[in-house]
Amino acid sequence: MTDDSGLNGRDEPARGPDDHAELLSELDSHDLALALETDKTSRTDAFAVDPEADPDAVFPQSVASGGPTPSGVILWTRVDPEAFDPETPLAVQVATDEAFEGVVYDGVVTEGAHVAAHDYTVKVDLDGHLDPDSEYHYRFIYDGTASRTGRCRTLPHPEESPDSISFAVLACQNFLNGYYPAYHYVAEEDVDFLVHVGDFIYESDAGDFKGLGSRAYAGREKRLPSGHDRVWSLADYRYLYRTYREDRFLQEALERHTLIAGWDDHELVNDVYWDAQTDAPAGDHPRGDDPEFMTGLIADGMHAWWEYMPARVEYDPAGESLQERFRLWRAFEFGDLVTLAMTDERLFRDPPREAIPTPDNVGPQYEPPGRTMLGAEQRDWLVETIAESETTWSVWADEVLTVPFRLGSGPLSVYPVQGGWDGYTRERQKLTEAIAAADVENYVTLTGDMHCYVAAYQQTSYPGRVSGGEGVATGDRIGVEFMTPAITSLNVAEALHLTEGWRKRLTEPLLSWLVPAMNPHIEFFDSHNWGYSVVEFTPEDCTYVGYAVDKTVDSPDADREVVAAYRVPEGVVELEDVTDRYRD
């Protein structure tokens, strides 16, 4: 058991007022890609469009929107360097119709040097220019060539009462490990927003994140500019985003729906955490134990994410701490129906445990009091956001597994998902106790990272020692958890070569039975498929539908099927299996 009085290993926090100082210094040297202001122009030729021009030749990554507010969104595009002239203005138009007859906003971006400095990416913030709960069409125009037309959506006004709000929830899309037909189906879904809980890119051009059952996929090869197998520079991160964003199915989804984006580890480095003793990030990288290198690399990863994601993230260059300077954690309100909290679970997390994750080692009583994934300020903000929410549903987009996940029985058990909250049980206990004490109704977590479909109950305690003590009985239910699967990334079955033929037929039902048997709070589990989920909230209920899409086929006609569907009635913590209803 750890002595709280001093430093006793890597999982003992050693915090001080200057935490993250070197990363802040490194970020100061970066010209981060903030949204640009547009200028009004009397030049009508800036908006002239040649209907024969090829949009892909000028806008190879197409367009996207994100960061919705009740009065705007952030629009994003990238201009091909071969077509770019810093003296040529980039025009943007927003209209109520796809033919652009009802234009409600237009302007031009004239800061050519700024565009070129950010890998030719452009973000335009429309906050304050649009109406609440409204759908718009938008496009960029450059030297007579119009981009593909995108569709964006604003948030409802906080005092509105929407009939429903629906999200396509997405995660974990290793470009090397499959194709993206799931995104084609996402584009066709009648949802209000996309919620991406992380691992939008993977930081390798080799097979580092594949398994025994993984195959090679034609056309998915990559070669990082640095020549290394793992990211080594800003140029490497930018290359990865450009490559991923050239996928036509991914473009379809981002053109069609407005994105609410978080991040997990692979946007930076696999299993990244904060080493307070060196005041630097560390993680699974060939130079992961070099504080100076890792500080620069993580700053490069943040820089590229900011350039390529249309995310509304606060940045105050005058802030004295990372929490004051950069806040990925933020909340969205969808009228009086849903509050959605997004958290950053990488820049503040303590190192992983060194002990084997047996029942005797994972309990909160074995962790030092200050051990954290969120950091104190973010944790307090999260509890306040959930506990004080006045909407019908309170939702936490928590990119890693929240509930315990045990393999085995009794003292022979292990808790293998140490990158999730099983690795931070003391802080999980604090969160759980605070939310339970606030008597929060209709509490839902949306998670990813583990590449599985999960429907589970969140409880005040769980059998075994993962909740503390010598053995705790099942506690009260306080909410539910829905995990979205990976789009393509390695899951358990693929890692063990169990995803095809008789191996799949035998092990899929076995694993789906075995995991809930070991974890009674888990109602459903599947780790044999890939795809996405749709979660809809109404005043009466919340519904989760998990879809499987064949990632081995680079076609809009790839097979799709419903894996599982669950309904949670308003005011009742109860998972109702409605899978058959959605399979009909």
Side-chain angles (χ1 to χ4, degrees), residues 151-432:
R151 187 183 71 170
C152 63
R153 188 174 192 87
T154 56
L155 298 181
H157 189 277
E159 296 180 2
E160 289 184 11
S161 298
D163 293 332
S164 72
I165 291 292
S166 58
F167 305 133
V169 187
L170 311 161
C172 306
Q173 52 194 56
N174 188 347
F175 189 83
L176 289 176
N177 205 45
Y179 301 114
Y180 290 169
Y183 270 118
H184 171 73
Y185 287 104
V186 168
E188 295 186 332
E189 289 282 356
D190 183 19
V191 296
D192 296 303
F193 299 94
L194 308 182
V195 174
H196 203 295
V197 294
D199 293 346
F200 193 92
I201 62 167
Y202 277 67
E203 74 282 19
S204 169
D205 68 1
D208 296 295
F209 306 110
K210 291 195 169 193
L212 291 175
S214 301
R215 61 174 74 178
Y217 292 90
R220 304 306 258 189
E221 303 83 5
K222 305 194 304 290
R223 183 167 294 279
L224 295 173
S226 67
H228 294 280
D229 289 345
R230 299 282 189 103
V231 286
W232 224 261
S233 64
L234 176 59
D236 287 346
Y237 284 112
R238 285 171 164 173
Y239 166 79
L240 290 170
Y241 280 106
R242 290 196 303 268
T243 302
Y244 278 59
R245 293 288 290 273
E246 286 172 357
D247 184 273
R248 184 67 194 100
F249 296 141
L250 176 55
Q251 290 179 5
E252 269 188 275
L254 295 179
E255 290 162 6
R256 187 71 174 167
H257 303 297
T258 294
L259 175 67
I260 297 172
W263 68 24
D264 196 17
D265 53 341
H266 288 286
E267 286 88 350
L268 305 171
V269 165
N270 184 43
D271 292 337
V272 66
Y273 62 88
W274 196 265
D275 187 340
Q277 295 185 41
T278 62
D279 191 26
D284 175 22
H285 187 278
R287 294 184 65 180
D289 58 356
D290 180 339
E292 182 178 357
F293 176 85
M294 289 298 293
T295 298
L297 187 67
I298 296 308
D300 287 342
M302 294 170 67
H303 184 133
W305 184 88
W306 219 316
E307 288 176 335
Y308 277 85
M309 303 301 283
R312 186 177 304 281
V313 177
E314 293 181 23
Y315 183 74
D316 178 5
E320 295 183 359
S321 68
L322 189 67
Q323 291 93 331
E324 293 176 0
R325 186 85 60 94
F326 171 86
R327 282 185 55 161
L328 183 71
W329 32 291
R330 60 221 193 269
F332 300 82
E333 287 192 355
F334 303 81
D336 64 2
L337 187 58
V338 177
T339 296
L340 176 69
M342 307 282 291
T343 47
D344 173 7
E345 297 171 8
R346 291 296 167 181
L347 289 184
F348 304 100
R349 72 162 57 202
D350 284 315
R353 283 194 186 98
E354 293 187 327
I356 298 171
T358 64
D360 286 331
N361 291 328
V362 299
Q365 70 273 27
Y366 299 112
E367 288 191 322
R371 182 168 160 76
T372 183
M373 185 190 292
L374 299 175
E377 184 179 352
Q378 183 180 196
R379 182 179 64 246
D380 292 346
W381 168 86
L382 175 62
V383 170
E384 180 179 339
T385 299
I386 297 298
E388 297 185 6
S389 168
E390 296 182 356
T391 56
T392 302
W393 298 91
S394 299
V395 183
W396 177 18
D398 172 13
E399 59 257 35
V400 299
L401 183 70
T402 310
V403 300
F405 186 83
R406 178 175 64 181
L407 293 180
S409 178
L412 299 179
S413 303
V414 293
Y415 291 84
V417 189
Q418 289 295 292
W421 283 97
D422 279 349
Y424 300 81
T425 52
R426 182 183 284 267
E427 188 170 42
R428 177 171 63 192
Q429 186 177 46
K430 288 182 180 178
L431 290 169
T432 300

Side-chain angles (χ1 to χ4, degrees), residues 135-149:
E135 182 179 293
Y136 295 92
H137 300 270
Y138 66 93
R139 65 184 178 185
F140 291 89
I141 304 167
Y142 192 74
D143 196 22
T145 299
S147 69
R148 293 201 203 99
T149 297

Side-chain angles (χ1 to χ4, degrees), residues 428-508:
R428 177 171 63 192
Q429 186 177 46
K430 288 182 180 178
L431 290 169
T432 300
E433 289 174 349
I435 291 169
D439 198 23
V440 176
E441 288 193 337
N442 304 320
Y443 172 48
V444 178
T445 52
L446 304 177
T447 58
D449 180 64
M450 198 172 140
H451 312 166
C452 304
Y453 305 74
V454 173
Y457 291 107
Q458 297 186 70
Q459 300 172 176
T460 53
S461 62
Y462 303 85
R465 298 171 190 167
V466 71
S467 302
E470 293 302 315
V472 178
T474 299
D476 296 329
R477 295 172 177 175
I478 63 169
V480 299
E481 175 155 347
F482 294 123
M483 178 174 284
T484 201
I487 297 282
T488 59
S489 300
L490 181 72
N491 60 24
V492 173
E494 184 181 37
L496 300 175
H497 202 1
L498 301 175
T499 59
E500 297 179 356
W502 66 267
R503 294 185 182 91
K504 178 177 181 179
R505 291 192 298 272
L506 177 65
T507 60
E508 185 173 10

